[in-house]
Amino acid sequence: MPVSTSTVTSARSLAVTATLRSKSASPLVKPVGDAPPYPLETKEHDFFWTYTEEPHRTRRQAIIKAYPEVTKLCGPEPLTKYVVFGVVSLQVATAYLLRNTPFFSWTFFLTAYIIGATANQNLFLAIHEISHNLAFKNAELNRAIAIFANLPIGIPYSASFRPYHLTHHKSLGVDGLDTDLPTAFEAIFLDSIAGKAFFCTFQILFYAIRPIFVYAVPFTSVHFLNIIIQVLFDVLLVKSASVNSLYYLILSSFLAGSLHPCAGHFIAEHYVFEKFGPEAKDPLTNTIIPETYSYYGPLNVLTYNVGLHNEHHDFPAIPWTRLPKLREIASEFYEDLPRHESWLYVIWQFIWDKDVGMTCRVKRKEGGRKVGAWTQNEIQA
């Protein structure tokens, strides 16, 4: 692998994954008798298709068998609610202070980029953490604090995010269910340097709009409450400060999912940065392709340790503060898995590397399920 790549891996990690899969992973498309699975249609610029189940369940079972004590790391983190309150307060105060600052000014833009985007990315990931019921034991309190964390984002989304995100965990890579996957339209029209640059600049809009084109989640009372409270907050902010204060929050949200160092995690988590030959596009070759990449750098301090993404997908019920402990206990399961060293370089490489693009994702035709709401037992299962 070229030195310039931002990921590292080893043959041993792939061999371990292959061994685990061969022992416990069953094909999602079962053949009739001894006949091979019906081949998927593959194209030159297609995704990586696979018949195997996602790797996290298999590794979770292996880790629990080797280290049963890791299950004690599961459960809510009391610190989360205080961090959320602090960041929401910071953003509201900053929005108020900018009430008379011209929108088209360097002061406004740089404050939104440096402070606002970093803070709102933190709140995005607070909502991500809370979607797993990891702020409180009580489900209603988790929904409530997620709506509170949503306030400085300016647009209501916490209620819709949860079912889509939990489905992403239950249906990782499943075409038509995992809304984290680029659509065929994105793959066709954005798989070029200019297209990838456009995607990275506006990726927050893709993540916001894409799900409704994949499938719709039921509209619930939580969605209604999320919208009402957000609209009331926005109106109150404009009346008590100015419309510029609301513009600051919305611009912060946009920049948080644009060309910002912390936004690199969106791409870093599941895009395939390893280099594979054409045979990897054929699902019948059973080529082992890493689907999740971790990052252990300093930006985890600002982002609820979301960089520990293999660890998070293995154990969604372990909160952000205890993920490093999981990695420490089960270090041999993680030390050789592929990782990124820099989120900023992830964005750079994604745009400029012709071998990395919109189709560098692992997809499955079947498996998983839609999730409306998980019980705590389901999350830990």
Side-chain angles (χ1 to χ4, degrees), residues 235-370:
V235 171
L236 180 62
L237 181 66
V238 171
K239 288 186 175 296
S240 61
S242 75
V243 69
N244 273 10
S245 297
L246 180 58
Y247 289 163
Y248 163 75
L249 295 181
I250 294 176
L251 178 60
S252 296
S253 296
F254 172 77
L255 294 174
S258 185
L259 299 175
H260 189 278
C262 291
H265 82 87
F266 290 120
I267 297 170
E269 291 164 359
H270 296 294
Y271 280 87
V272 178
F273 278 71
E274 300 296 321
K275 306 301 170 89
F276 293 94
E279 69 279 358
K281 296 290 186 181
D282 184 351
L284 299 183
T285 63
N286 291 322
T287 303
I288 304 299
I289 302 171
E291 299 181 47
T292 306
Y293 290 67
S294 287
Y295 159 81
Y296 301 109
L299 292 180
N300 280 314
V301 174
L302 302 172
T303 55
Y304 286 88
N305 279 327
V306 74
L308 281 71
H309 216 65
N310 270 299
E311 293 83 346
H312 169 65
H313 268 267
D314 289 351
F315 291 89
I318 294 181
W320 60 286
T321 53
R322 299 172 209 152
L323 287 175
K325 185 64 176 178
L326 166 65
R327 182 171 182 262
E328 177 185 335
I329 292 172
S331 60
E332 70 270 26
F333 287 89
Y334 295 112
E335 60 188 9
D336 288 330
L337 292 181
R339 69 185 69 183
H340 291 288
E341 303 299 334
S342 166
W343 278 341
L344 194 58
Y345 185 66
V346 162
I347 297 174
W348 177 269
Q349 185 181 358
F350 180 78
I351 293 173
W352 291 102
D353 191 335
K354 64 180 180 63
D355 294 322
V356 179
M358 303 300 297
T359 59
C360 288
R361 290 292 298 264
V362 175
K363 276 194 175 188
R364 297 172 172 82
K365 276 291 183 184
E366 297 181 17
R369 64 179 175 88
K370 291 181 184 177

Side-chain angles (χ1 to χ4, degrees), residues 190-213:
L190 298 178
D191 205 23
S192 65
I193 291 178
K196 291 185 291 182
F198 180 86
F199 174 78
C200 288
T201 303
F202 297 97
Q203 62 179 312
I204 192 66
L205 301 181
F206 286 92
Y207 284 107
I209 297 171
R210 181 194 297 148
I212 64 177
F213 288 98

Side-chain angles (χ1 to χ4, degrees), residues 76-212:
E77 170 52 67
L79 180 62
T80 299
K81 58 181 175 289
Y82 300 113
V83 176
V84 168
F85 180 80
V87 177
V88 169
S89 300
L90 170 66
Q91 277 295 78
V92 172
T94 306
Y96 183 80
L97 292 173
L98 289 175
R99 66 191 182 279
N100 297 320
T101 304
F103 179 82
F104 294 104
S105 67
W106 281 111
T107 299
F108 197 98
F109 178 82
L110 290 176
T111 303
Y113 187 84
I114 297 171
I115 297 176
T118 305
N120 276 13
Q121 182 65 249
N122 178 275
L123 292 172
F124 289 159
L125 294 167
I127 292 170
H128 164 266
E129 186 79 4
I130 295 163
S131 72
H132 293 287
N133 288 335
L134 293 177
F136 297 98
K137 292 182 179 179
N138 181 278
E140 286 72 24
L141 288 177
N142 281 289
R143 303 294 82 71
I145 195 173
I147 292 174
F148 177 72
N150 197 152
L151 295 179
I153 292 169
I155 298 171
Y157 97 102
S158 66
S160 294
F161 172 80
R162 185 171 188 266
Y164 282 121
H165 180 67
L166 298 185
T167 299
H168 164 67
H169 274 267
K170 281 290 187 182
S171 309
L172 182 64
V174 178
D175 195 31
L177 288 180
D178 186 356
T179 57
D180 189 67
L181 293 166
T183 62
F185 177 87
E186 294 169 63
I188 293 171
F189 290 100
L190 298 178
D191 205 23
S192 65
I193 291 178
K196 291 185 291 182
F198 180 86
F199 174 78
C200 288
T201 303
F202 297 97
Q203 62 179 312
I204 192 66
L205 301 181
F206 286 92
Y207 284 107
I209 297 171
R210 181 194 297 148
I212 64 177

Side-chain angles (χ1 to χ4, degrees), residues 219-230:
F219 190 85
T220 67
S221 58
V222 179
H223 291 80
F224 181 77
L225 192 62
N226 186 196
I227 294 171
I228 292 298
I229 291 177
Q230 187 66 55

